[in-house]
C-alpha cells in the first residue's frame, strides 16, 4: 500500500521527557529519504510552550510521561496551538489506558512506543487524527449554527410578544371603555371614538405580527430555495413613491427627512411585491439606525441595469460588517434595536433572485449607502 | 391621585399603558429607558409606583432597579417589572422589586396588583 507522506513541509514538535525515545521517534521521519520535515524537540511542557509561542506547528507529539506530570501546562499548550494543529500522544504500552483517556482531553489520537511504531503506522495515525480534527471543526461549526439559531428563536419570541402585548392591552382597554360608557347614553359617542382608535391601533399591531410571520416564512423558503418571483412590467419610481407614502408617518415620527432624485419613470420586469419588501426594509433601517437625520434616494438607468442608492446620515456600518449584515440573524449592534435580523438577508436574496446585486458602502457623511443594481429585464 | 411612572422602550406599550392608567384615574409619567426614567426622578414630585420593562437600551431594568435602590430618596418606591422573557433573579437583589409580570399580561390583573401594592403602602388610595 502506498501511503502519502503527510509530513512534507510539516512543522513538527516532539515533546518527551525521555531523550532516547525522542531520538528514536524523530528517526522515523528520516525513513523518507527525500522529504525531511522541520522537527523541533522539547523535554517538558514548559519548553514546548516556549517553542509553540515562537512558531506555528502542524503536528505535535507529546509523550505521556510529560502529559501525565503537568496536565495544567498541557491545557495551556493546547490553548496556544493553532486550531489546525494535530495533537498526538505517545504512550508506553503500560500507559495505554491513560492514552486512550487522553482523547477526551483534546488529543486527536495516540500511538504506542513499541515495536509496531513505524513510519507507516505514524502516517496512518496522523491521517486518522486529521479526520478527528475535521470532525471537531465540523462540530464547532454546527454548534455555532445551533447557538445562532437558538439566539434567533429567543429574539423572535421577544419580537412576537411586543406587538402581542400592545394589541392585547389595546383590546382590553377597548373592553374597559365599552363597559364604562356603553350603558350611559351621553358618553356613547366619546366611548365609541376611543374604542375605534384602540381597535385601529390593535389592528396595526396585528399587521406587525403578520410581517414578522412573513419574514419567518421567507426565511424558511430561502433555506429551501423556494423564493419564486412573479415578474411583470412595473415602474420602480411609482413603487418607491408608494412605499414612501406607507412609511411617511413613521419617517416623520423619526424625523427623517426624505430627499429624492428620481427620473419620471424607470420601467422594468420585476416582482412588484418582492421589490416593495426591499424598499420597505431599507426605509425600516433608516428609521432604526438614522433617526433625526435626512436621507437621500437616487435611482437611474445605467446600460441594461437600474441603480438605486439609499444613503443616510446615521451611525453607518463599520467596514468589517459590510458583508456580515447581509447574513441571517446579523445586526451591527443589537442592543436596544428591535427586529429579527433578517431584513437585509431577505433583501439580498430578493435582489439576487432578480439577477441583481446589493452592497453597502460608507457614505461621505459617515452614514451608510446601500447600492442596488437590478437588471431591467430578465 | 397616585402617580405611576411607566418605563418601556416600545412606544406602543408605553402609550397604551399610559392610556389605561390615566383612564383608571392615575397620573402618568413615561420614559423610554432606565436612564431617562432616573432623570425624571430628580424633582420634588416623585411617582408612587414604577412599572418598568426589563430589556431596554441605554439602561436596562436590572441596572435601573439597582440605581433606584442605591438612592435613598427613591429606594422606597414600589417597582413592578415586566418582560417578555424570564426574569434573571441572579441579577437582582432579593426584595428589590415588588412584582414581576410576563408579557403579554392581563391588564385587570396588573391594575389590581398595582392597587394592592399602593394600598399596602399608603392605606386607601
Amino acid at each position: 500500500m502506498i501511503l502519502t507522506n503527510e509530513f512534507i513541509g510539516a512543522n513538527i514538535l516532539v515533546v518527551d521527557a525521555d531523550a532516547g525515545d525522542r531520538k528514536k521517534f524523530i528517526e522515523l521521519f528520516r525513513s523518507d529519504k527525500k522529504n525531511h520535515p522541520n522537527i523541533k524537540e522539547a523535554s517538558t511542557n514548559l519548553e514546548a510552550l516556549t517553542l509553540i509561542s515562537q512558531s506555528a506547528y502542524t503536528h505535535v507529539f507529546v509523550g505521556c510521561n510529560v502529559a501525565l506530570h503537568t496536565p495544567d501546562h498541557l491545557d495551556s499548550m493546547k490553548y496556544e496551538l493553532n486550531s489546525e494543529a494535530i495533537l498526538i500522544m505517545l504512550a508506553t504500552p503500560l500507559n495505554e489506558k491513560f492514552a486512550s483517556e487522553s482523547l477526551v482531553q483534546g488529543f486527536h489520537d495516540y500511538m504506542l512506543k513499541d515495536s509496531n511504531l513505524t513510519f507507516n503506522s505514524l502516517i496512518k495515525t496522523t491521517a486518522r487524527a486529521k479526520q478527528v480534527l475535521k470532525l471537531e471543526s465540523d462540530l464547532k461549526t454546527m454548534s455555532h449554527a445551533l447557538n445562532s439559531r437558538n439566539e434567533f428563536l429567543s429574539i423572535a419570541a421577544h419580537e412576537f410578544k411586543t406587538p402581542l402585548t400592545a394589541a392585547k392591552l389595546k383590546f382590553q382597554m377597548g373592553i374597559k371603555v365599552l363597559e364604562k360608557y356603553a350603558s350611559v347614553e351621553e358618553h356613547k359617542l366619546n366611548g365609541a371614538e376611543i374604542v375605534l382608535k384602540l381597535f385601529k391601533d390593535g389592528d396595526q399591531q396585528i399587521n406587525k405580527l403578520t410581517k414578522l410571520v412573513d419574514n419567518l416564512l421567507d426565511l424558511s423558503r430561502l433555506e429551501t430555495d423556494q423564493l419564486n418571483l412573479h415578474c411583470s412590467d412595473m415602474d420602480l419610481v411609482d413603487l418607491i413613491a408608494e412605499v414612501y407614502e406607507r412609511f411617511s408617518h413613521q419617517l416623520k415620527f423619526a424625523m427623517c427627512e426624505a430627499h429624492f432624485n428620481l427620473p419620471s419613470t424607470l420601467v422594468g420586469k420585476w416582482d412588484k411585491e418582492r421589490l416593495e419588501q426591499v424598499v420597505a426594509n431599507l426605509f425600516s433601517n433608516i428609521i432604526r439606525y438614522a433617526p433625526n437625520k435626512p436621507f437621500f434616494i437616487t435611482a437611474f438607468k445605467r446600460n441594461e441595469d437600474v441603480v438605486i442608492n439609499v444613503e443616510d446620515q446615521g451611525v453607518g456600518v463599520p467596514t468589517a460588517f459590510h458583508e456580515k449584515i447581509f447574513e441571517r440573524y446579523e445586526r451591527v449592534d443589537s442592543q436596544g434595536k428591535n427586529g429579527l435580523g433578517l431584513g437585509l438577508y431577505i433583501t439580498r436574496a430578493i435582489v439576487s433572485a432578480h439577477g441583481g446585486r446589493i452592497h453597502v458602502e460608507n457614505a461621505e457623511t459617515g452614514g451608510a449607502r446601500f447600492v442596488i443594481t437590478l437588471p431591467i429585464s430578465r | 391621585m397616585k402617580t405611576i411612572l411607566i418605563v418601556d422602550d416600545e412606544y406602543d406599550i408605553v402609550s397604551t399603558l399610559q392610556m389605561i392608567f390615566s383612564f383608571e384615574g392615575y397620573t402618568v409619567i413615561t420614559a423610554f429607558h432606565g436612564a431617562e426614567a432616573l432623570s425624571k426622578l430628580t424633582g420634588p414630585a416623585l411617582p408612587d409606583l414604577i412599572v418598568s420593562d426589563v430589556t431596554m437600551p441605554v439602561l436596562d431594568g436590572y441596572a435601573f432597579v439597582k440605581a433606584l435602590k442605591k438612592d435613598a430618596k427613591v429606594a422606597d418606591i414600589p417597582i413592578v417589572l415586566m418582560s417578555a422573557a424570564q426574569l434573571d433573579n441572579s441579577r437582582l437583589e432579593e426584595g428589590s422589586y415588588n412584582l414581576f409580570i410576563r408579557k403579554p399580561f392581563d391588564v385587570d390583573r396588573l391594575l389590581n396588583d398595582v392597587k394592592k401594592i399602593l394600598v399596602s403602602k399608603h392605606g386607601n388610595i
Side-chain angles (χ1 to χ4, degrees):
Chain A
M1 184 181 170
I2 300 166
L3 293 166
T4 320
N5 188 346
E6 283 267 351
F7 305 109
I8 297 172
N11 206 10
I12 294 167
L13 177 62
V14 180
V15 192
D16 199 295
D18 187 320
D21 281 356
R22 273 202 317 270
K23 196 177 170 219
K24 258 194 254 166
F25 188 70
I26 290 169
E27 276 305 311
L28 291 175
F29 292 95
R30 313 292 179 207
S31 316
D32 185 339
K33 303 281 183 229
K34 280 183 261 171
N35 301 296
H36 286 176
N38 176 33
I39 304 177
K40 288 268 190 275
E41 50 184 304
S43 58
T44 64
N45 269 330
L46 269 182
E47 242 181 81
L49 261 176
T50 314
L51 288 169
I52 287 168
S53 67
Q54 291 163 353
S55 181
Y57 288 94
T58 53
H59 302 76
V60 179
F61 297 88
V62 183
C64 66
N65 45 25
V66 175
L68 266 170
H69 289 123
T70 48
D72 291 348
H73 291 164
L74 189 72
D75 282 342
S76 315
M77 196 169 86
K78 279 187 291 189
Y79 182 77
E80 292 291 330
L81 271 175
N82 178 328
S83 63
E84 284 166 18
I86 289 169
L87 192 58
I88 294 176
M89 176 172 281
L90 300 172
T92 57
L94 274 177
N95 283 320
E96 188 168 3
K97 189 170 176 287
F98 172 73
S100 60
E101 284 166 0
S102 72
L103 298 180
V104 185
Q105 296 165 359
F107 280 88
H108 302 116
D109 212 328
Y110 70 92
M111 300 181 79
L112 292 181
K113 294 194 274 189
D114 59 13
S115 55
N116 292 326
L117 183 60
T118 61
F119 184 60
N120 279 355
S121 68
L122 181 60
I123 286 182
K124 274 186 197 162
T125 308
T126 309
R128 208 167 50 215
K130 221 173 182 175
Q131 284 178 335
V132 173
L133 184 72
K134 166 90 174 49
L135 283 176
E136 270 181 6
S137 155
D138 289 350
L139 196 65
K140 263 188 207 159
T141 310
M142 280 192 283
S143 159
H144 176 75
L146 199 64
N147 284 343
S148 298
R149 176 61 63 102
N150 287 343
E151 197 185 329
F152 170 76
L153 285 177
S154 140
I155 292 169
H158 184 265
E159 288 299 312
F160 276 102
K161 279 201 172 180
T162 301
L164 256 181
T165 305
K168 189 173 163 75
L169 284 174
K170 284 172 199 298
F171 288 124
Q172 288 182 96
M173 173 71 188
I175 293 164
K176 280 188 160 303
V177 172
L178 282 178
E179 279 169 356
K180 186 164 177 180
Y181 290 139
S183 56
V184 187
E185 195 58 40
E186 63 264 34
H187 290 325
K188 267 187 182 165
L189 192 61
N190 186 22
E193 276 171 13
I194 297 172
V195 173
L196 180 68
K197 181 169 183 336
L198 285 164
F199 281 15
K200 275 185 177 171
D201 288 351
D203 187 47
Q204 269 185 18
Q205 298 304 319
I206 288 165
N207 289 343
K208 281 188 186 175
L209 264 176
T210 310
K211 207 178 140 204
L212 287 170
V213 174
D214 283 345
N215 275 345
L216 281 181
L217 285 174
D218 278 345
L219 176 70
S220 70
R221 279 191 198 116
L222 286 174
E223 293 195 342
T224 49
D225 281 334
Q226 289 175 345
L227 194 70
N228 298 321
L229 297 181
H230 303 283
C231 296
S232 57
D233 284 339
M234 54 158 285
D235 185 348
L236 191 65
V237 176
D238 282 352
L239 179 128
I240 292 172
E242 277 171 35
V243 181
Y244 172 69
E245 181 58 33
R246 226 169 61 214
F247 273 81
S248 59
H249 188 69
Q250 289 178 59
L251 287 164
K252 202 175 158 191
F253 187 74
M255 300 211 281
C256 299
E257 192 191 335
H259 296 264
F260 294 101
N261 186 0
L262 305 168
S264 55
T265 60
L266 274 174
V267 178
K269 216 177 174 79
W270 301 299
D271 184 321
K272 187 169 183 273
E273 206 178 306
R274 287 298 183 188
L275 283 198
E276 269 179 15
Q277 245 180 303
V278 168
V279 179
N281 276 333
L282 295 175
F283 278 134
S284 296
N285 277 351
I286 289 168
I287 292 165
R288 199 173 290 159
Y289 296 103
N292 310 311
K293 300 274 171 62
F295 68 96
F296 305 84
I297 297 187
T298 53
F300 52 91
K301 202 177 152 197
R302 188 171 61 197
N303 303 324
E304 298 305 308
D305 295 328
V306 159
V307 179
I308 311 155
N309 288 334
V310 179
E311 182 177 328
D312 64 49
Q313 296 185 353
V315 291
V317 180
T319 311
F321 283 84
H322 279 190
E323 264 308 302
K324 223 174 159 50
I325 54 165
F326 293 101
E327 291 172 16
R328 270 177 318 181
Y329 321 137
E330 290 294 342
R331 286 179 295 186
V332 174
D333 172 16
S334 60
Q335 202 207 7
K337 302 288 183 206
N338 299 322
L340 294 175
L342 293 176
L344 287 174
Y345 173 68
I346 292 169
T347 297
R348 177 173 268 184
I350 293 170
V351 172
S352 301
H354 280 90
R357 297 180 305 280
I358 178 170
H359 71 271
V360 66
E361 50 195 48
N362 300 324
E364 289 72 20
T365 50
R369 185 192 300 120
F370 287 89
V371 182
I372 299 173
T373 310
L374 279 176
I376 290 170
S377 181
R378 254 174 80 79
Chain B
M1 185 36 74
K2 300 296 178 198
T3 302
I4 310 283
L5 168 61
I6 295 163
V7 196
D8 198 307
D9 61 326
E10 287 293 334
Y11 170 79
D12 289 312
I13 308 265
V14 172
S15 62
T16 317
L17 281 177
Q18 180 177 27
M19 200 176 184
I20 290 169
F21 277 103
S22 303
F23 188 75
E24 292 295 314
Y26 292 95
T27 303
V28 179
I29 43 179
T30 60
F32 289 96
H33 50 72
E36 191 189 351
L38 286 175
S39 75
K40 294 199 170 179
L41 295 171
T42 51
L46 293 171
D48 298 285
L49 185 138
I50 297 166
V51 178
S52 175
D53 186 24
V54 176
T55 313
M56 293 181 289
V58 190
L59 192 75
D60 68 12
Y62 298 109
F64 176 48
V65 170
K66 209 176 259 180
L68 286 173
K69 294 298 154 188
K70 265 191 195 162
D71 183 350
K73 200 178 133 204
V74 291
D76 281 345
I77 302 175
I79 303 165
V80 174
L81 290 174
M82 53 184 179
S83 175
Q86 290 272 20
L87 195 63
D88 181 358
N89 271 310
S90 68
R91 296 178 64 189
L92 288 162
E93 268 181 48
E94 212 182 317
S96 59
Y97 64 95
N98 299 65
L99 177 72
F100 169 68
I101 46 170
R102 276 293 282 276
K103 288 177 182 173
F105 49 82
D106 191 275
V107 77
D108 281 327
R109 209 194 122 196
L110 172 68
L111 289 170
N112 278 336
D113 288 336
V114 163
K115 201 171 175 181
K116 269 190 215 159
I117 294 169
L118 289 173
V119 167
S120 73
K121 192 168 160 51
H122 302 283
N124 277 340
I125 58 165

